[in-house]
Amino acid sequence: MISNQILQTNIEGLKGITRVDLSICDTEGKVLASTFTGAEEYESAILTFVDSPADSQVIQGYQFFKVFDEHQLEYILLAKGGSDDVYMVGKMAAFQIQNLLVAYKERFDKDNFIKNLLLDNLLLVDIYNRAKKLHIETNVKRIVFIIETQHEKDVNALETVRSLFSTKTKDFITAVDEKDIILVKEVKPGETYDDLEKTASMIVDMLNTEALTRVNVAFGTIVNEIKDVSRSYKEAKMALDVGKIFYSTKNVVAYSKLGIGRLIYQLPLPLCRMFIKEIFDGKSPDDFDEETLTTINKFFENSLNVSETSRQLYIHRNTLVYRLDKLQKSTGLDLRVFEDAITFKIALMVVKYMKYMENLDY
């Protein structure tokens, strides 16, 4: 159904061009949009006109027109004046509104199709049949972006995204829950993942500037067929979750760059607990004091370089060595040895994942 605001904007635009006052009412005589006051007085005349076989009629100095959605009567249009010129304006206005109904219905149908496509709710044969009926190309390269907003039903963010992409006929914007905006974007020939990452960053910047909202954007991999769009959507969802756990400082996350985080995210929690118990002997990295955790993180940031780490921590090299020796005694892992460092790094990531998943249960 077209919103009353859209109807109002359209008849105000038509009045600006033709200088003819117009009013749109529903089939019960209720005024939905009008450029003049007093249209409510014609409720009984509208009800009589609805029951009549005529498609247009002059009543009390107004031209009445029926507007159909296919064969269903949807609106009654009133044009002020009884002349032939007013009749022509009324017919044009009725035609315009009828076309709006068709356009909105098509958009709604496409939106439903894209939602069901993303959620894997369609049989393969239905995907191709409905895509053909809705004039959606099936062999266009596409990728799915998920734009997570801070607030539920962020209308400003949704409208900003639509203004950026909705003019492109092969791009689709929809939503499957309260906080996420989904962009199914056509991938142009020669467009790379680096280009798509720039697109994601542009979305973040635009929403920050135009809609005054902070968002996280994740995207899946490029698919060649419409049937695989749901796969790209699932990848984008995983990228969004993995990004929150392991890359919380980033507001753009690509599924193709998740690295080891993708593997850890798919581990069952019992296996994770077993691994942590084996590595830390029942302890948790949370048990380490702040100084030790800072030392560990800085050591990893500097690719296990003792000199650079001690310089950035403003401590003597021997102090850092002492801390690393102390850590080795408590865990059995020497972070100066590459294999032990990898084990420790993975263990820290597993603990992060476990904490995230356990918090979801509450």
Side-chain angles (χ1 to χ4, degrees):
M1 180 65 70
I2 306 171
S3 71
N4 292 354
Q5 186 180 353
I6 296 291
L7 294 173
Q8 186 69 37
T9 302
N10 270 270
I11 61 173
E12 283 177 358
L14 288 166
K15 182 190 175 180
I17 297 167
T18 64
R19 299 182 182 177
V20 173
D21 275 307
L22 300 163
S23 182
I24 300 171
C25 305
D26 63 18
T27 53
E28 295 177 353
K30 181 185 175 186
V31 178
L32 304 176
S34 185
T35 63
F36 62 91
T37 58
E40 296 84 0
E41 299 171 13
Y42 293 88
E43 183 178 331
S44 59
I46 288 168
L47 294 174
T48 303
F49 176 59
V50 166
D51 293 331
S52 74
D55 287 340
S56 63
Q57 198 171 348
V58 180
I59 304 173
Q60 301 173 24
Y62 285 82
Q63 306 268 4
F64 283 50
F65 300 90
K66 288 177 179 174
V67 179
F68 293 91
D69 180 7
E70 293 183 351
H71 301 295
Q72 178 73 34
L73 181 60
E74 194 70 36
Y75 300 121
I76 303 299
L77 173 73
L78 278 65
K80 191 174 184 179
S83 68
D84 289 344
D85 288 343
V86 172
Y87 174 80
M88 184 176 67
V89 170
K91 288 292 283 184
M92 289 174 63
F95 181 72
Q96 166 80 356
I97 295 162
Q98 203 154 311
N99 281 339
L100 272 176
L101 283 167
V102 172
Y104 267 73
K105 182 179 281 187
E106 183 175 302
R107 176 175 161 182
F108 179 73
D109 285 347
K110 281 186 177 179
D111 190 61
N112 262 348
F113 171 68
I114 295 298
K115 281 180 182 175
N116 285 313
L117 182 66
L118 292 168
L119 297 172
D120 245 347
N121 289 339
L122 297 169
L123 296 172
L124 189 61
V125 65
D126 290 334
I127 290 173
Y128 287 94
N129 286 341
R130 289 187 65 182
K132 184 178 179 181
K133 186 178 178 182
L134 294 167
H135 309 290
I136 298 173
E137 291 187 44
T138 57
N139 58 351
V140 171
K141 284 187 175 182
R142 293 184 172 94
I143 192 165
V144 176
F145 290 79
I146 297 179
I147 303 151
E148 185 187 57
T149 59
Q150 286 183 315
H151 309 291
E152 293 185 358
K153 295 183 179 179
D154 193 328
V155 177
N156 288 338
L158 182 59
E159 289 307 313
T160 302
V161 175
R162 280 196 173 135
S163 69
L164 286 170
F165 298 99
S166 62
T167 53
K168 299 168 185 175
T169 55
K170 292 175 186 173
D171 294 342
F172 303 97
I173 296 104
T174 189
V176 295
D177 57 34
E178 299 294 329
K179 289 185 76 173
D180 295 342
I181 300 166
I182 316 297
L183 167 65
V184 182
K185 186 184 180 302
E186 176 195 6
V187 179
K188 296 172 185 173
E191 202 167 9
T192 65
Y193 282 108
D194 286 340
D195 296 324
L196 295 167
E197 191 153 348
K198 287 174 186 174
T199 299
S201 297
M202 181 265 292
I203 292 170
V204 170
D205 293 340
M206 284 293 291
L207 288 173
N208 191 23
T209 306
E210 301 290 332
L212 302 176
T213 184
R214 290 176 59 81
V215 298
N216 293 317
V217 178
F219 58 96
T221 56
I222 299 168
V223 296
N224 297 312
E225 288 279 336
I226 197 166
K227 66 181 175 65
D228 296 321
V229 164
S230 63
R231 189 186 79 214
S232 187
Y233 170 66
K234 289 170 187 171
E235 291 169 348
K237 274 193 74 65
M238 180 187 284
L240 197 63
D241 285 341
V242 173
K244 287 176 188 174
I245 303 168
F246 303 119
Y247 315 110
S248 56
T249 57
K250 293 184 179 181
N251 48 26
V252 172
V253 184
Y255 177 81
S256 58
K257 293 183 179 179
L258 291 180
I260 199 168
R262 183 193 304 127
L263 294 176
I264 293 171
Y265 182 77
Q266 296 177 83
L267 292 174
L269 284 177
L271 187 62
C272 293
R273 293 189 187 101
M274 190 186 303
F275 175 70
I276 293 303
K277 185 177 180 182
E278 179 185 320
I279 299 301
F280 295 115
D281 193 25
K283 296 177 185 175
S284 166
D286 291 340
D287 297 335
F288 298 138
D289 57 61
E290 180 108 18
E291 183 183 82
T292 304
L293 286 171
T294 302
T295 302
I296 293 166
N297 290 328
K298 191 60 72 174
F299 194 53
F300 283 135
E301 280 176 29
N302 289 293
S303 303
L304 315 184
N305 186 311
V306 173
S307 299
E308 185 59 25
T309 302
S310 59
R311 187 185 70 80
Q312 289 188 21
L313 288 172
Y314 303 104
I315 60 175
H316 194 275
R317 191 177 190 279
N318 290 343
T319 304
L320 177 59
V321 170
Y322 168 75
R323 290 181 186 177
L324 294 174
D325 287 342
K326 185 180 173 184
L327 186 66
Q328 183 183 0
K329 284 178 183 176
S330 65
T331 64
L333 296 171
D334 184 354
L335 298 195
R336 291 158 293 190
V337 177
F338 181 74
E339 188 175 334
D340 284 358
I342 286 291
T343 302
F344 201 96
K345 179 67 174 175
I346 291 171
L348 289 176
M349 293 178 74
V350 168
V351 169
K352 267 189 177 182
Y353 165 65
M354 287 168 61
K355 286 170 72 175
Y356 176 82
M357 294 305 290
E358 285 163 2
N359 287 336
L360 286 182
D361 294 337
Y362 291 108

